Amino acid sequence: MNEETFPGPIEIPLSTAKVWEKRFDEDNTIEDPKNKVKAFLIPRESLEKVLQLETEAVWAYIGINDDKEKTLLFVGAELDPVTKKYVNVYGPPKSEQNKSADGSIEIVYDGARPSPPF
C-alpha cells in the first residue's frame, strides 16, 4: 500500500482481525530503532464508523496485517454491568462481501498506516 491508495479497505472481518492480533502477539522480532513505528495515520472514515456504534468507549487493538505492517484495529466497547469489564461491540458490514468465512458479520475497522514507512 502506498500513500496514493490510502486508506484502502477499512472493514476487516473479525476472523481476519483475530489472525492479525495473534500475529502481533506472537511477534518477537527486535525492531531496528530507525524503522520503529512511532505513529499511525488513521483514516477519518475508520473513526467515524466506530463512533457510529455509539458505544461508551473504543478499543484500539494492535495487529500485523497481511503486508507485515503494524496496524490498529478499532472496536466499540461497552461496560458489562455484571462483570464490570468492557466488552467488544463489532460493527455491521457495508456489504455481504465483507462477511467472514464463518458467515459472521462482525466487523472491525482498520485502514491505519504505520509511520515509518508512511
Side-chain angles (χ1 to χ4, degrees):
M1 167 114 9
N2 61 41
E3 290 189 31
E4 291 178 354
T5 59
F6 176 78
I10 67 161
E11 288 190 353
I12 308 298
L14 177 58
S15 58
T16 300
K18 286 181 178 183
V19 169
W20 292 3
E21 287 177 53
K22 185 174 188 236
R23 198 177 288 154
F24 177 77
D25 288 344
E26 295 173 349
D27 181 36
N28 59 6
T29 58
I30 298 173
E31 288 185 283
D32 180 347
K34 67 181 178 197
N35 294 326
K36 187 176 180 179
V37 174
K38 298 175 188 154
F40 289 89
L41 180 63
I42 303 166
R44 179 186 184 110
E45 185 180 7
S46 293
L47 297 176
E48 288 173 345
K49 289 291 185 186
V50 77
L51 291 175
Q52 285 175 3
L53 297 174
E54 298 184 2
T55 56
E56 296 174 37
V58 174
W59 287 108
Y61 291 96
I62 303 171
I64 297 177
N65 65 22
D66 295 338
D67 293 329
K68 308 293 186 248
E69 300 167 339
K70 287 186 179 165
T71 191
L72 296 176
L73 303 161
F74 299 103
V75 177
E78 285 286 342
L79 185 64
D80 182 313
V82 175
T83 65
K84 305 295 185 205
K85 294 182 180 184
Y86 279 90
V87 295
N88 293 337
V89 176
Y90 303 104
K94 278 200 256 184
S95 67
E96 290 294 309
Q97 73 181 20
N98 286 325
K99 279 191 176 182
S100 62
D102 65 4
S104 70
I105 57 170
E106 297 171 318
I107 293 296
V108 173
Y109 300 102
D110 178 36
R113 292 293 157 251
S115 175
F118 299 97

